Amino acid sequence: MPVSGFKRLLMPLFLALAITGCQALPPAGDRTALMGTGDLGLIIERASGSVLVINTTRHSVLSRVTGLGDLSHASVVYSRDGRYGYVFGRDGGLTKVDLLTGTIAERVIQSGNSIGGAISQDGRYIAVSNYEPGGVRVFDSETLAPVADIPAAYVKPNGEPALSKTVGLVDAPGNRFVFSLFDADEIWTLDMTAPRPAIKKFGAGDAPYDGLITPDGRYYIAGLFGEDGLSMLDLWHPGRGITEILPGYGKGEVKLPVYKMPHLEGWAMADGRAFVPAVGHHQVLVADADDWSLSGRIPVQGQPVFVMASPDNRQIWVSFAHPKNDVVQVIDSQTLEVIRTLEPGDAVLHMEFTPRGEEVWVSARDSNRVTVYSTRTLEPVATLDAEKPSGIFFTSRAHTLGL
Amino acid sequence: MPVSGFKRLLMPLFLALAITGCQALPPAGDRTALMGTGDLGLIIERASGSVLVINTTRHSVLSRVTGLGDLSHASVVYSRDGRYGYVFGRDGGLTKVDLLTGTIAERVIQSGNSIGGAISQDGRYIAVSNYEPGGVRVFDSETLAPVADIPAAYVKPNGEPALSKTVGLVDAPGNRFVFSLFDADEIWTLDMTAPRPAIKKFGAGDAPYDGLITPDGRYYIAGLFGEDGLSMLDLWHPGRGITEILPGYGKGEVKLPVYKMPHLEGWAMADGRAFVPAVGHHQVLVADADDWSLSGRIPVQGQPVFVMASPDNRQIWVSFAHPKNDVVQVIDSQTLEVIRTLEPGDAVLHMEFTPRGEEVWVSARDSNRVTVYSTRTLEPVATLDAEKPSGIFFTSRAHTLGL
């Protein structure tokens, strides 16, 4: 069996390792070479209001884009073509970043305080969920011109009209958005296909604080701050209303102080099981995805924040809350055992898998570093310098419902 | 609720409809404008040895690339960055097409007769399965330089050494390829992570003729030409060897002449059920994805070839074999009923969903036309002229295991 050229093929890897950590970023806007966008991404630099444009094939930083405002808790969605990232800032800023030129294409301050957003299935609309003044605003993805303003109006128990904070905003099939009303205890769907946006309202549990949608866009699940359990809406059968799942799940089972409520977006579904961060416990919970009954508890080294399955569902990667947040643990989804404890740096905030799952990028805020691991060897293959990095978002999200 | 700008937002759609059918394709290679690659794709023009570069946002043809040889039964995989499509021709040609410039970047004649290929999980290797001289050849995705030659050597029952045709080649997690040996009744895995490619061999059923891998890269399933049933390999537990599933499935149940063996790649998995084209019957079979038992038969208007689930798993789209191949039927995955019969043109050959599932592109070879349907309304939203179009492949495949 003739085999040749392996050494040569390894060279790009060595080169990539050699150039990581390079500080000399090219100035924004001087890029004219043609480039595919499928292996690009953005890393949030939360303290400096900037983002890094990165390349996952070369493990390299292409440019730094500045002037994005308050990026604590920022997130990103992508245009259909993967060229533009829409960055949702905490200060209500919505910034359209051009990854090819490393510049800001459009930017608006759309509210006083926002908490994430989504892009519609057809790519034409960007929706943002707001704390102040609450509600959801929808923008043209091309120009960021306003398209619709959806106040989250409700009536308090005492009869007074009020406006609710909105959270857990995701896109859903049929060009819909789904989000939760923290103050109103409701889940709303917003249909953007009609001549006017059409809203449907569903009563949820007490104080939904975050939400996720399953990868096929069928189930919307909201975490509850005010009671145990989770509220689930089956978007294939909205007439059936909200179902309560995992009734014992939540703060009620807490025996330790909760340093951070777990993120819902990171929930892992693998092999018919859901892997869920326990609230306040040093455990990952295992639920049967068919009936959402609790089937197991996996001991881990701290309070889990993100619990994410690798794209091949073989591994569950877990990040943790302060003060045990300098460690990532990897669980085998078959044996349910921790197979590796990694130390990517201080204050690990986020993880992002490459779309086919060969590598995962991990940000360590207080080490000013992003580490790339091989999911096969569980060893680091590259590190990149970044200023207080938090969220990592690859353009493959453009092709994924709910991301 | 203020709503504004909807008419303006509809304009791009009208423009897109107005320019479809445009014949004046720009000459290849004159493209310098920056462009994202996430919403691009290739359409095979099988009779003329050419491909169209298309844009799914604008429903437009960007360029035509010629000189690709015999493209009957051609297929495409994509580089990690979505810029390059690797086109596998029937004549053993392997062509690397640059979608941004509309030109051929590299081209080799790698065998006398080939039948598809795959790109490795890390994007570094292109593998091609061959009829003549059989076996699998692996190339550097950057240069198309040869990396490995894997003859499919086996020993005939009479003791003579022989070489087998290979079929059903797919990529799998762990930078592996998996394929079937038609003449040797075996399934092989090829691990590209070692210093030398490492092969493992598994005995399969009689004459495997095609294969698929489930979206998480766990199960490889081969269709059998020589007997009923299918051969399945669990890549998480390869030591358990091959399992026979759907034992009654295949030619043995045929009561009609089989005009075309169904494609396996198109198999749909939705809501815990697999939807499978019956061989020679006017039926789509429904199997329980847990134990692969047959749970239902859905009557359709002809012999199904492709049976594909929309990305949200709500619809199953079915194309058919000659002579009833001018029709596509849409099945509701919940009610298991045909909800629409569409007539996209003569000799429908392939269907491709946009990655978030809002639209599906359908090629009609003998009508020289590709029709784009909305999955929501099931109405056509655009048509494009193409010369004898067959396969349609979007760059989102770059981000999908097994495609």
Side-chain angles (χ1 to χ4, degrees):
Chain A
M1 180 187 314
V3 177
S4 68
F6 268 89
K7 276 189 188 165
R8 182 167 42 76
L9 290 170
L10 288 173
M11 278 306 292
L13 178 61
F14 294 145
L15 285 173
L17 288 168
I19 62 172
T20 57
C22 163
Q23 286 304 298
L25 300 181
D30 73 341
R31 221 166 290 283
T32 53
L34 294 181
M35 194 191 309
T37 49
D39 57 353
L40 303 184
L42 292 174
I43 297 175
I44 304 290
E45 296 185 311
R46 68 198 306 273
S48 50
S50 55
V51 294
L52 295 178
V53 181
I54 57 87
N55 178 303
T56 64
T57 303
R58 295 183 176 75
H59 301 136
S60 63
V61 174
L62 300 182
S63 60
R64 170 176 284 131
V65 187
T66 57
L68 279 74
D70 181 356
L71 295 186
S72 50
H73 211 282
S75 60
V76 182
V77 299
Y78 286 96
S79 59
R80 288 184 96 257
D81 61 2
R83 174 171 179 175
Y84 300 101
Y86 300 89
V87 182
F88 305 101
R90 189 55 177 259
D91 56 0
L94 167 60
T95 310
K96 180 179 179 180
V97 173
D98 184 340
L99 277 67
L100 286 178
T101 60
T103 59
I104 291 176
E106 302 286 347
R107 175 169 163 80
V108 295
I109 302 294
Q110 58 84 39
S111 81
N113 189 314
S114 69
I115 189 70
I119 187 165
S120 62
Q121 185 184 28
D122 67 0
R124 286 167 59 199
Y125 306 114
I126 305 292
V128 191
S129 62
N130 290 317
Y131 278 3
E132 288 295 330
V136 167
R137 287 196 168 137
V138 183
F139 300 86
D140 175 355
S141 64
E142 185 72 25
T143 62
L144 299 193
V147 172
D149 186 359
I150 314 292
Y154 73 106
V155 178
K156 288 184 178 181
N158 66 6
E160 285 179 17
L163 297 174
S164 176
K165 293 185 183 68
T166 57
V167 296
L169 172 63
V170 299
D171 65 282
N175 235 36
R176 287 175 295 175
F177 294 111
V178 189
F179 53 95
S180 297
L181 282 65
F182 180 81
D183 306 295
D185 304 338
E186 289 181 351
I187 293 171
W188 288 12
T189 64
L190 171 62
D191 183 342
M192 296 299 296
T193 63
R196 283 170 163 277
I199 293 168
K200 287 184 186 158
K201 305 178 183 183
F202 303 87
D206 189 8
Y209 76 93
D210 195 6
L212 67 84
I213 193 163
T214 50
D216 61 359
R218 176 169 181 178
Y219 296 106
Y220 179 83
I221 300 172
L224 302 174
F225 197 77
E227 63 177 296
D228 287 352
L230 298 143
S231 289
M232 183 172 80
L233 176 63
D234 181 352
L235 292 166
W236 292 15
H237 303 288
R240 296 178 189 169
I242 302 289
T243 309
E244 183 194 4
I245 61 170
L246 281 175
Y249 179 77
K251 295 195 296 176
E253 66 169 46
V254 170
K255 296 189 181 59
L256 297 170
V258 180
Y259 292 104
K260 181 170 173 56
M261 287 299 277
H263 274 274
L264 291 192
E265 189 187 319
W267 278 23
M269 310 279 275
D271 200 24
R273 291 188 275 221
F275 294 83
V276 182
V279 178
H281 282 268
H282 293 190
Q283 293 174 342
V284 169
L285 306 180
V286 186
D288 186 317
D290 281 338
D291 63 2
W292 292 96
S293 61
L294 195 65
S295 64
R297 297 168 180 268
I298 304 169
V300 287
Q301 66 91 39
Q303 294 183 5
V305 174
F306 280 106
V307 174
M308 307 177 79
S310 57
D312 69 356
N313 290 344
R314 280 311 303 272
Q315 297 169 357
I316 312 294
W317 286 60
V318 186
S319 70
F320 297 93
H322 179 83
K324 308 193 80 169
N325 57 352
D326 55 348
V327 159
V328 164
Q329 290 192 306
V330 185
I331 295 168
D332 182 311
S333 68
Q334 290 286 285
T335 65
L336 307 186
E337 284 172 4
V338 173
I339 55 173
R340 192 72 70 97
T341 297
L342 302 166
E343 297 183 1
D346 297 331
V348 171
L349 288 190
H350 199 218
M351 305 177 287
E352 177 92 334
F353 289 94
T354 56
R356 286 174 180 247
E358 72 279 15
E359 291 173 351
V360 56
W361 290 46
V362 181
S363 63
R365 182 192 62 200
D366 294 348
S367 295
N368 295 308
R369 185 168 68 218
V370 171
T371 306
V372 183
Y373 289 92
S374 161
T375 52
R376 187 173 56 80
T377 65
L378 302 180
E379 297 291 334
V381 294
T383 60
L384 297 88
D385 290 341
E387 298 290 329
K388 303 286 179 198
S390 55
I392 306 173
F393 304 90
F394 297 155
T395 56
S396 48
R397 290 175 174 245
H399 298 148
T400 310
L401 279 167
L403 291 186
Chain B
M1 181 184 317
V3 177
S4 68
F6 268 90
K7 277 191 187 165
R8 183 168 42 75
L9 289 171
L10 288 173
M11 279 307 292
L13 178 61
F14 294 146
L15 283 172
L17 288 169
I19 62 170
T20 58
C22 164
Q23 287 302 298
L25 301 181
D30 74 341
R31 220 167 290 283
T32 53
L34 294 182
M35 193 190 310
T37 49
D39 57 352
L40 304 184
L42 292 173
I43 297 176
I44 304 290
E45 297 186 309
R46 69 197 306 276
S48 50
S50 55
V51 294
L52 296 177
V53 182
I54 58 87
N55 179 303
T56 65
T57 303
R58 297 183 173 75
H59 301 137
S60 64
V61 174
L62 300 183
S63 60
R64 172 176 283 132
V65 187
T66 58
L68 279 73
D70 180 357
L71 294 187
S72 52
H73 212 282
S75 59
V76 182
V77 299
Y78 286 96
S79 58
R80 289 185 95 255
D81 60 4
R83 174 172 179 175
Y84 300 102
Y86 300 88
V87 183
F88 305 102
R90 189 56 177 258
D91 57 0
L94 167 60
T95 310
K96 180 179 178 180
V97 173
D98 184 340
L99 277 69
L100 286 178
T101 61
T103 59
I104 292 176
E106 303 285 347
R107 176 169 161 79
V108 295
I109 303 295
Q110 58 84 39
S111 79
N113 189 314
S114 69
I115 188 68
I119 187 165
S120 61
Q121 185 184 26
D122 67 0
R124 287 168 57 199
Y125 305 114
I126 304 293
V128 192
S129 63
N130 290 316
Y131 278 3
E132 290 293 332
V136 167
R137 288 194 169 139
V138 183
F139 300 87
D140 175 354
S141 64
E142 185 72 26
T143 62
L144 299 193
V147 171
D149 186 359
I150 314 291
Y154 72 107
V155 178
K156 287 184 176 180
N158 67 7
E160 284 178 18
L163 296 175
S164 176
K165 292 184 185 67
T166 57
V167 296
L169 173 63
V170 299
D171 66 281
N175 234 35
R176 287 175 295 176
F177 294 111
V178 189
F179 53 95
S180 297
L181 282 64
F182 180 82
D183 306 294
D185 305 338
E186 289 180 351
I187 293 171
W188 289 12
T189 63
L190 171 62
D191 183 341
M192 297 299 294
T193 63
R196 285 168 161 277
I199 294 168
K200 288 184 185 160
K201 305 178 182 182
F202 303 87
D206 190 8
Y209 76 94
D210 196 5
L212 69 83
I213 193 162
T214 50
D216 60 0
R218 175 169 180 177
Y219 296 107
Y220 179 82
I221 300 172
L224 302 174
F225 197 78
E227 63 177 298
D228 286 352
L230 299 144
S231 289
M232 182 171 81
L233 176 62
D234 181 352
L235 293 166
W236 291 15
H237 303 287
R240 297 178 188 168
I242 303 289
T243 309
E244 184 193 2
I245 61 169
L246 282 175
Y249 179 77
K251 293 195 299 178
E253 65 168 48
V254 171
K255 298 191 178 55
L256 297 168
V258 180
Y259 292 104
K260 181 170 172 56
M261 288 297 279
H263 273 275
L264 292 193
E265 188 187 319
W267 278 23
M269 310 279 276
D271 201 24
R273 291 189 276 223
F275 294 82
V276 182
V279 179
H281 282 268
H282 293 192
Q283 293 174 342
V284 169
L285 307 180
V286 186
D288 186 317
D290 280 339
D291 61 2
W292 293 95
S293 61
L294 195 65
S295 64
R297 295 168 180 271
I298 304 169
V300 288
Q301 66 91 40
Q303 295 183 4
V305 174
F306 280 105
V307 175
M308 306 176 80
S310 57
D312 69 356
N313 290 344
R314 280 313 300 274
Q315 298 169 355
I316 312 293
W317 287 60
V318 186
S319 69
F320 297 94
H322 178 82
K324 309 193 78 168
N325 57 352
D326 56 348
V327 159
V328 164
Q329 289 192 308
V330 184
I331 296 168
D332 182 311
S333 69
Q334 288 287 284
T335 66
L336 306 186
E337 284 172 3
V338 172
I339 54 172
R340 191 73 70 96
T341 297
L342 303 166
E343 297 184 0
D346 297 331
V348 171
L349 288 191
H350 199 217
M351 305 178 287
E352 178 92 334
F353 289 93
T354 56
R356 285 174 180 248
E358 72 278 16
E359 290 175 351
V360 57
W361 290 46
V362 181
S363 63
R365 183 191 62 201
D366 294 348
S367 294
N368 295 308
R369 186 168 69 218
V370 170
T371 306
V372 183
Y373 289 92
S374 162
T375 53
R376 189 174 54 82
T377 66
L378 301 180
E379 296 291 335
V381 294
T383 59
L384 297 88
D385 291 341
E387 299 290 328
K388 304 287 181 199
S390 56
I392 305 173
F393 304 91
F394 296 155
T395 55
S396 48
R397 289 174 175 247
H399 298 148
T400 311
L401 278 167
L403 292 186

